[in-house]
Amino acid sequence: MVNLLEIRDLVVSYRTRSAPVRAVDGVSLSVAPGEIVAVVGESGSGKSTTAHAVVRLLAGNAQIESGSIQFEGADLAHVPERSLRTVRGARIGLVPQDPAVSLNPVKRIGEQVAEVLRLHGLADRRNAALKAVEILDRAGLPEPEGRARQYPHELSGGMRQRVLIAIAIAADPRLIIADEPTSALDVTVQKVILDHLQHLVAQSGAAVLLVTHDLAVASDRADRIVVMSQGRIVETGPTAAVMNDPQHEYTKKLLASAPGLTLAAAPPAKATGKRLLEARDLVKEFPLPGAAPRRAVDGVSFHLDRGETLALVGESGSGKSTTGRLVLRLADVGSGTVTFDGADITRSRPPATRALRRRAQLIYQNPYASLDPRFTVAQAIEEPLRVFRIGDRASRGVTVRGLLDRVALPQTLLTRRPAELSGGQRQRVAIARALALSPDLVVCDEPVSALDVSVQAQVLELLVQLQEETGVAYLFISHDLAVVRQLAHRVAVMRHGRIVETGFTADLFTNPQHDYTRELLAAIPGRIISEGAPS
Amino acid sequence: MSELIAPVAPVLERPARMHDGRLRRTLSFFGHRPGLLVSVVVVFLVGVSAFAPDVFSSQDPTAGVPAENFRAPGAAHWFGTDSLGRDLFTRVVHGAQLSLRATLIAVAFAFVVGGTIGLVAGFVGRWVDDVLMRLVDVVLSIPTLFLSLAVVTALGYGTTKVAVAVGFANVAGFARVMRSEVLRVRLALYVEASRGIGARWWSVLGRHVLPNSIGPVLVLATLEFGTSILAVSSLSFLGYGAPPPAPEWGTLISDGRNYLANAWWLTTLPGLTIAATVLATNRIARALDGELRQW
Amino acid sequence: MPRYVIRRLVQAVGVLWAAYTLSFFILVLLPGDPVSAMAGAGADSAPVDPARLEALRHEYGFDQPVPLQYLNHLGHALIGDLGDSVATGRPVTQLITQALPQTLLLTASALTLAFVLGGGLALAATFSARPGVRQVLLSLPPLGVSVPTFWIGLMLVQFFSFRNQWFPAFGNDGLKGLVLPAVTLAVPTGAQIALVLAKSLITTLDEPYIGTARAKGAGRRHVHLRHALRNASLPALTVAGLLVGQLMANAVVIETVFSRNGLGRVTQSAVSTQDIPVVQGVVVYGALVFVVVNLLVDLVYPVLDPRIVLAPRRPVVAAV
């Protein structure tokens, strides 16, 4: 079979202040007509750069150094810009990464879809508008006539991604490049969109180059998988072969750390019986100008024992983060009560709140934003000790170094600033800071969702290990049921500000009671394979 | 809230800073930015003229040799001479003292008063913020030169008074930037994290909010320095500065106006001096804003 | 929509009142005795007859308590009476409205010129594919904002009036007399526009939706004009009020340079003679222009940016 796309020895480098950095270093891959090929890798692996190089839509400081990109008889790496324009949009469609910012905010939806047809002379002005509605309908956008007249900000993230898919398929291209098309979306939406995209290409016979960081997504969708690391392809092959019999060390590592693919046993229930935290009927409303207030948390009750991990799981806007902030008194409770270690802290006064701060800490999703850019690692970890005047300077230094050991960071990092650390290192620093005062409770707000999968696994492991050593209790907030399964003793599923189901982790996964829980479970990518595989 | 997978920027390992490397880094930094280097030199020279004018010219800026009037620029008189035979270069050098002092007073006034207003508004919030910012909005609605003219009308003429007038008109800008910076930092996660650790408010203010919000205000101060030179020279051009023999830069240009047809240097050269100084401070402000931060 | 307009109008009136109050207190409360200044008519400090001072004080109401003075003046201001000029005795409103047409003509032509030149420069600089051309074009605006406006005027006069006699150096004569002052005024304003717009265009061109447009197969010019420009002009629009304010202030200086009749002349002589009612009138007029321009911007903004749902917007300080 003749390949539709044939990339040979592609080298792309970025000019930086010091020396050019090779982001793509001799990549060769091919896509046959109608085939779905997934390029999988962690951030910085060069997967996105490879995909964008195909249509030469690279950042200003990036340059194709060598190699060829054969597509329908032309070498796209070397054709002039003018002939590239007849390929982009018409023969190759691109579905970009982040639907929130990938549509022109001041143009109507319909116009943006019709623009593709107009640019390639596939329709005149009137025709284009009508066809755009038709294409939006095909892309699965509800009420396409009405939506076509709206602006991007009036649409949800999932709908915007459908618009971007509509733009990509408008001219009926032979190849669709999808760059992390659903990473910014909620899991349930993710599944629906990917299902639809797969259905569309099956109909039209277009091929897809799917770029993703998520091996599970790739295994669900692709015919073939290409694994990239540090600008090179480390492994490539049919999906089943790569998933069941990985050859390269890196692929094995990725597979082992992908949460959706490993069926690690859920930790057994842990009931020490010593109640640490109890929330009862929590309600929190946010005032909206000129409208009824939005109820972010709507009657939430749960409890947490010492040394236990309770996971709060829900999609964006479910109120899980707000709940976490309420129990830490970082936001004022509307109504309901919070009891911490037997004391009612719902409306505690500053001295009592400060006492609470010493025993309850928070770890944020984005470790970069939660560390002061001007503080060194040592200063950041020392801050809680200094604030509570624990020990003198020398003894605090000893404690800080001990904490650094605990989170498995080398002492050489003490004088670095956050900008000089990797994402995983930053989150370890944040964990060390949270543990400095030996708290009884740590609220972890999506602590790993900004990290690469392999780093994710390490940080989760660290959290479990620290719990065993110190007996700290975690309130673990996450959108990802798969992540939660590895470390939560109990899980509470939240939706629209309410808890719809609470249960022991193993029970909830094998025997979900609520429809929404079932929907969430079904949306976890990679289930097909992991369930089929003998465990 | 978004579950966005933030693209983790690849952390380029920086070489450990070594002392012998610093000089070379400095040289290469300026080597790639000749404009910035020139700007630093210009500001340095202007600074020296302001504080020690005798380094450049030991002549008396007010004493002229009538016989040598209207000499074109040359080896004897770099900037030529004026109608009374005074050396223009000497006058420009000594004028730096007056003009720069006025500018410094103006910027310092605006920085201190505006910065304090912005800090209080941003950190205290609620009604204090509302009241202060409404006030700032009103001040902003009046063109700065008009505001300065009103203050000059009330206070009278003179270098210091002009300086205060210019500073007063710029208070609102500083208050705005300081407030928005304080708000940005105050809402930053690391400030909440510090609060979550149990830090008290003054510790949060001193250790996190102020150090992280002062940068853009300092950049504004540098930028405002250039703007203030222009404003001060405009007011002295209109004749509200120091009385006649004093060689303020604006006054020099105003004096030269009458001889546009026969002595071009009397207006052209002081104007170029002003432009060079302002251009240099603006270039340095831009460097402070972006390039130096990455350095 | 009408409710929004009414609310913005009320706000505008509020700002005007506050500007009036502020200027009143600056002029009346700051040290310096307005009456002796009036009687002495400026710089020379000859002793003035105390009886005459007293009479003046009474005539202008300065012997009354300050709050009463303020209410009295405000009451008059509400019906459009800003008092009489001390120097000439003529009503301030009349002085200003007579001087205004010349100044408005000058500022309007300068603004148009600034928009064309500044906008064109920003577009050309960001569109140019050659780094050399780009760098040269982008280095012009910082130059434009660093040069004293009055000096630009003098340089133009020197070259175009004295050396070449193409345009008149002074006066209000017709269109030819308008050219040099308008060009002078357009330089700093146009440079500001170019700075803001170029910066905004550069950041806009890095937005992901520009990538989407290019992936559709759109050419550079199409992307630049149809996608980037409209988005990029939004931040530039927010500084329009400030720019016009600055332009007016510069006009005061420039009218002096070119000896044109207009608001600048009125202002300059009022400051020299400490003619407080006139100075206050000019300040309030400046605020009026600012308020009107911002009102217009607020009404145009939602048309250009569909994300703005007619919410009140605070004027933005130039972030350049």
Coordinates of all heavy atoms in Angstrom, one line a residue, chain A residues 65-105:
Chain A
E65 N 15.5 21.4 9.8 CA 16.9 21.4 9.3 C 17.1 20.5 8.2 O 17.8 20.8 7.2 CB 17.8 21.1 10.5 CG 17.7 22.1 11.5 CD 19.1 22.3 12.2 OE1 19.8 21.3 12.3 OE2 19.3 23.4 12.8
S66 N 16.5 19.3 8.3 CA 16.7 18.3 7.2 C 15.6 17.3 7.2 O 14.8 17.3 8.2 CB 18.1 17.6 7.3 OG 18.1 16.9 8.5
G67 N 15.6 16.4 6.2 CA 14.6 15.4 6.2 C 13.5 15.8 5.1 O 13.5 16.9 4.6
S68 N 12.6 14.8 4.9 CA 11.6 15.1 3.9 C 10.2 14.7 4.4 O 10.1 13.8 5.3 CB 11.9 14.4 2.6 OG 11.7 13.0 2.8
I69 N 9.2 15.3 3.9 CA 7.8 15.0 4.3 C 7.0 14.8 3.1 O 6.5 15.8 2.4 CB 7.2 16.1 5.2 CG1 8.1 16.4 6.4 CG2 5.8 15.8 5.6 CD1 7.8 17.7 7.1
Q70 N 6.9 13.6 2.6 CA 6.2 13.3 1.4 C 4.7 13.2 1.6 O 4.3 12.4 2.5 CB 6.7 12.0 0.8 CG 8.1 12.0 0.2 CD 8.2 12.9 -1.0 OE1 7.3 13.1 -1.7 NE2 9.4 13.5 -1.2
F71 N 3.9 14.0 0.9 CA 2.5 13.9 1.1 C 1.8 14.1 -0.3 O 2.1 15.2 -0.9 CB 2.0 14.9 2.0 CG 0.5 15.0 2.2 CD1 -0.2 14.1 3.0 CD2 -0.3 15.9 1.5 CE1 -1.6 14.1 3.1 CE2 -1.7 16.0 1.6 CZ -2.3 15.1 2.4
E72 N 1.1 13.2 -0.8 CA 0.5 13.2 -2.1 C 1.4 13.8 -3.2 O 1.1 14.7 -3.9 CB -0.8 14.1 -2.0 CG -1.9 13.5 -1.2 CD -3.2 14.3 -1.2 OE1 -3.1 15.5 -1.5 OE2 -4.2 13.7 -1.0
G73 N 2.6 13.2 -3.2 CA 3.5 13.5 -4.3 C 4.3 14.8 -4.2 O 5.0 15.1 -5.1
A74 N 4.2 15.5 -3.1 CA 5.1 16.6 -2.9 C 5.9 16.5 -1.6 O 5.4 15.8 -0.6 CB 4.2 17.9 -2.8
D75 N 7.0 17.2 -1.5 CA 7.8 17.2 -0.3 C 7.4 18.5 0.5 O 7.9 19.5 0.2 CB 9.3 17.1 -0.6 CG 10.1 17.1 0.7 OD1 9.5 17.1 1.8 OD2 11.3 17.1 0.6
L76 N 6.6 18.3 1.5 CA 6.1 19.5 2.2 C 7.2 20.2 2.9 O 7.0 21.4 3.3 CB 5.0 19.1 3.2 CG 3.7 18.5 2.6 CD1 2.7 18.3 3.6 CD2 3.2 19.3 1.5
A77 N 8.3 19.5 3.2 CA 9.4 20.2 3.9 C 10.0 21.2 3.0 O 10.7 22.2 3.5 CB 10.4 19.2 4.4
H78 N 9.8 21.1 1.7 CA 10.6 22.0 0.8 C 9.7 22.8 -0.2 O 10.3 23.6 -0.9 CB 11.7 21.2 0.0 CG 12.7 20.6 0.9 ND1 12.7 19.3 1.4 CD2 13.7 21.2 1.6 CE1 13.7 19.1 2.2 NE2 14.3 20.2 2.3
V79 N 8.4 22.5 -0.3 CA 7.6 23.3 -1.2 C 7.5 24.7 -0.8 O 7.7 25.0 0.4 CB 6.2 22.7 -1.4 CG1 6.2 21.3 -2.0 CG2 5.4 22.7 -0.1
P80 N 7.3 25.7 -1.7 CA 7.2 27.1 -1.3 C 5.9 27.3 -0.5 O 4.9 26.5 -0.7 CB 7.1 27.8 -2.6 CG 6.7 26.8 -3.7 CD 7.3 25.5 -3.2
E81 N 5.9 28.3 0.3 CA 4.8 28.6 1.2 C 3.5 28.7 0.4 O 2.4 28.2 0.9 CB 5.1 30.0 1.9 CG 4.0 30.5 2.8 CD 4.1 29.9 4.2 OE1 5.1 29.4 4.6 OE2 3.1 30.0 4.9
R82 N 3.5 29.2 -0.8 CA 2.3 29.4 -1.6 C 1.6 28.1 -1.9 O 0.4 27.9 -1.7 CB 2.7 30.1 -2.9 CG 1.5 30.4 -3.8 CD 2.0 31.2 -5.0 NE 2.5 32.5 -4.6 CZ 1.7 33.6 -4.3 NH1 0.4 33.5 -4.5 NH2 2.3 34.7 -4.0
S83 N 2.4 27.0 -2.2 CA 1.7 25.8 -2.5 C 1.3 25.0 -1.2 O 0.4 24.2 -1.2 CB 2.6 24.9 -3.4 OG 3.9 25.1 -3.2
L84 N 2.0 25.4 -0.2 CA 1.6 24.8 1.1 C 0.2 25.3 1.5 O -0.5 24.5 2.1 CB 2.6 25.3 2.2 CG 2.9 24.4 3.4 CD1 3.3 23.0 2.9 CD2 4.0 25.0 4.2
R85 N -0.1 26.5 1.1 CA -1.5 27.0 1.4 C -2.6 26.2 0.8 O -3.7 26.2 1.3 CB -1.6 28.5 1.0 CG -1.2 29.4 2.1 CD -1.5 30.8 1.7 NE -0.4 31.6 1.4 CZ -0.3 32.6 0.6 NH1 -1.4 32.9 -0.1 NH2 0.7 33.3 0.4
T86 N -2.3 25.6 -0.3 CA -3.3 24.8 -1.0 C -3.5 23.4 -0.3 O -4.5 22.7 -0.5 CB -3.0 24.6 -2.5 OG1 -1.8 23.9 -2.6 CG2 -2.9 25.9 -3.2
V87 N -2.5 23.1 0.5 CA -2.5 21.8 1.2 C -3.2 22.0 2.6 O -4.1 21.2 3.0 CB -1.1 21.2 1.4 CG1 -1.2 20.0 2.3 CG2 -0.5 21.0 0.1
R88 N -2.8 23.0 3.3 CA -3.3 23.3 4.6 C -4.9 23.5 4.5 O -5.3 24.3 3.7 CB -2.7 24.6 5.2 CG -1.3 24.5 5.6 CD -0.9 25.8 6.2 NE 0.6 25.8 6.4 CZ 1.3 27.0 6.3 NH1 0.7 28.1 6.1 NH2 2.5 27.0 6.6
G89 N -5.6 22.9 5.4 CA -7.0 23.1 5.4 C -7.8 22.3 4.4 O -8.8 21.8 4.6
A90 N -7.2 22.2 3.2 CA -7.9 21.5 2.1 C -7.5 20.0 2.1 O -8.4 19.1 2.1 CB -7.5 22.1 0.7
R91 N -6.2 19.7 2.1 CA -5.8 18.3 2.1 C -5.4 17.8 3.4 O -5.5 16.6 3.7 CB -4.6 18.1 1.1 CG -4.8 18.7 -0.3 CD -6.0 18.1 -1.0 NE -5.9 16.7 -1.2 CZ -6.9 15.9 -1.5 NH1 -8.1 16.4 -1.6 NH2 -6.7 14.6 -1.6
I92 N -4.9 18.6 4.3 CA -4.6 18.3 5.7 C -5.3 19.2 6.7 O -5.2 20.4 6.6 CB -3.1 18.4 5.9 CG1 -2.3 17.5 5.0 CG2 -2.8 18.0 7.4 CD1 -0.8 17.5 5.2
G93 N -6.1 18.6 7.5 CA -6.8 19.4 8.5 C -6.1 19.3 9.9 O -5.5 18.3 10.1
L94 N -6.2 20.4 10.7 CA -5.5 20.4 12.0 C -6.5 20.6 13.1 O -7.2 21.6 13.0 CB -4.4 21.4 12.0 CG -3.6 21.6 13.3 CD1 -2.6 20.4 13.4 CD2 -2.9 22.9 13.3
V95 N -6.5 19.7 14.1 CA -7.3 20.0 15.3 C -6.4 20.3 16.4 O -5.6 19.5 16.8 CB -8.1 18.7 15.7 CG1 -9.0 19.0 16.9 CG2 -9.0 18.2 14.5
P96 N -6.4 21.6 16.8 CA -5.4 22.1 17.8 C -5.7 21.6 19.2 O -6.7 21.0 19.5 CB -5.4 23.6 17.6 CG -6.8 23.9 17.2 CD -7.3 22.7 16.4
Q97 N -4.7 22.0 20.1 CA -4.7 21.5 21.4 C -5.8 22.1 22.3 O -6.5 21.3 23.0 CB -3.3 21.9 22.0 CG -2.9 20.9 23.0 CD -1.4 21.2 23.3 OE1 -1.0 22.2 23.8 NE2 -0.6 20.2 23.0
D98 N -5.9 23.4 22.4 CA -6.7 24.0 23.4 C -7.9 24.7 22.8 O -7.7 25.8 22.3 CB -5.8 24.9 24.2 CG -6.5 25.4 25.5 OD1 -7.7 25.2 25.6 OD2 -5.9 26.1 26.3
P99 N -9.0 24.1 22.9 CA -10.2 24.8 22.3 C -10.5 26.1 22.8 O -11.1 27.0 22.2 CB -11.3 23.8 22.5 CG -10.9 22.9 23.7 CD -9.4 22.9 23.6
A100 N -10.1 26.4 24.1 CA -10.5 27.7 24.7 C -9.9 28.9 24.0 O -10.4 29.9 23.9 CB -10.0 27.7 26.2
V101 N -8.7 28.7 23.4 CA -8.0 29.8 22.8 C -7.7 29.6 21.3 O -7.1 30.5 20.7 CB -6.6 30.1 23.5 CG1 -6.9 30.6 24.9 CG2 -5.8 28.8 23.5
S102 N -8.3 28.6 20.7 CA -7.9 28.3 19.3 C -8.9 28.8 18.3 O -8.8 28.6 17.1 CB -7.7 26.8 19.1 OG -6.6 26.4 19.8
L103 N -10.0 29.5 18.8 CA -10.9 30.1 17.9 C -10.8 31.6 18.0 O -10.6 32.2 19.1 CB -12.4 29.7 18.2 CG -12.7 28.2 17.8 CD1 -14.0 27.8 18.5 CD2 -12.8 28.1 16.3
N104 N -11.0 32.3 16.9 CA -10.9 33.8 16.9 C -12.1 34.4 17.7 O -13.2 34.2 17.4 CB -10.9 34.3 15.5 CG -10.6 35.8 15.4 OD1 -10.8 36.5 16.4 ND2 -10.1 36.3 14.3
P105 N -11.8 35.0 18.8 CA -12.8 35.4 19.7 C -13.8 36.5 19.2 O -14.9 36.6 19.7 CB -12.1 36.0 20.9 CG -10.7 36.4 20.4 CD -10.4 35.4 19.3

